[in-house]
Amino acid sequence: MLLSVVNKWRSSIERCRIPSMNPVSEQKSDHIELWNKVTLLTGVQHEVIVALANHSTRHFYPASQVIFEEDAPVAGLFAVEQGTVKICRFSKEGREYILQLSQPGDTFNDVAAMDGGPNPATAIAMTDTVLWRISRNDLQLLAHQFPSLSWVMLESIARRTRYLVRTVQDLATRSVRCRLA
């Protein structure tokens, strides 16, 4: 009788378990594949990708959830696996300025992750979003271990700086009417 009850109990527990979608090795392979697709990391050695994958953690954010806020302590470097993330700032009057929309394969919060300062903007999940996060400390450790990682990150910051210089120049040379349109 007791054996029958135990077997029924085990059977009900087995039905309630949620099976893993991928075996652990496939999850790790998928994780490495995601970091391999990150635009920022184009051209780095496979061992750098594996190291990033091993030091990052997966996070899920439902649509409209704030991932981190402007001026909060550095949240780390994020890579988008799925969904869309809005990177924005708010004026004192509450007006929102969208700086970037990050899609799968994009990274964001690079500046804070590199300089250790506060997050320069607010990140909000626009859709249900899956992100991989690597802490500033782990990123710093890997940059020392793999100089090629440091170099691609410098190149990325340089590209963004060029873009911002062009944008500022474009805005500065337009008339007030054009800037406000």
Side-chain angles (χ1 to χ4, degrees):
M1 173 93 169
L2 182 58
L3 186 57
S4 172
V5 171
V6 169
N7 285 337
K8 284 182 183 178
W9 177 73
R10 280 185 184 156
S11 174
S12 67
I13 288 175
E14 288 300 319
R15 283 194 307 271
C16 293
R17 270 196 198 148
I18 300 171
S20 174
M21 294 192 66
N22 295 325
V24 173
S25 62
E26 284 183 34
Q27 286 177 349
K28 184 172 181 177
S29 174
D30 289 347
H31 188 182
I32 291 169
E33 188 59 34
L34 165 76
W35 282 101
N36 216 14
K37 291 179 182 176
V38 169
T39 310
L40 166 74
L41 302 173
T42 302
V44 299
Q45 305 96 331
H46 183 70
E47 65 183 336
V48 175
I49 300 294
V50 171
L52 284 165
N54 288 335
H55 283 85
S56 60
T57 54
R58 190 173 196 246
H59 301 271
F60 172 78
Y61 297 90
S64 301
Q65 183 173 344
V66 173
I67 298 163
F68 58 76
E69 293 181 332
E70 176 182 343
D71 294 328
V74 61
L77 175 70
F78 292 83
V80 181
E81 176 183 343
Q82 176 185 325
T84 302
V85 176
K86 174 174 55 176
I87 310 301
C88 58
R89 291 185 65 128
F90 295 92
S91 70
K92 290 179 182 175
E93 297 79 33
R95 184 171 174 182
E96 178 183 66
Y97 298 92
I98 298 173
L99 304 172
Q100 174 183 342
L101 295 177
S102 295
Q103 305 286 332
D106 291 340
T107 59
F108 60 92
N109 212 37
D110 312 41
V111 171
M114 284 191 234
D115 74 5
N119 300 318
T122 297
I124 302 170
M126 290 188 67
T127 61
D128 288 350
T129 302
V130 177
L131 303 174
W132 289 89
R133 178 188 167 274
I134 185 163
S135 72
R136 179 178 193 275
N137 290 339
D138 284 343
L139 189 61
Q140 199 171 31
L141 172 84
L142 294 175
H144 285 289
Q145 187 176 353
F146 301 104
S148 62
L149 176 61
S150 298
W151 191 251
V152 298
M153 294 183 77
L154 277 169
E155 288 176 333
S156 173
I157 292 294
R159 280 191 299 275
R160 289 182 188 191
T161 301
R162 283 184 186 278
Y163 169 77
L164 291 173
V165 166
R166 283 192 303 266
T167 302
V168 168
Q169 181 183 7
D170 184 48
L171 288 172
T173 58
R174 289 184 185 184
S175 68
V176 173
R177 174 178 263 150
C178 290
R179 285 185 291 198
L180 297 176

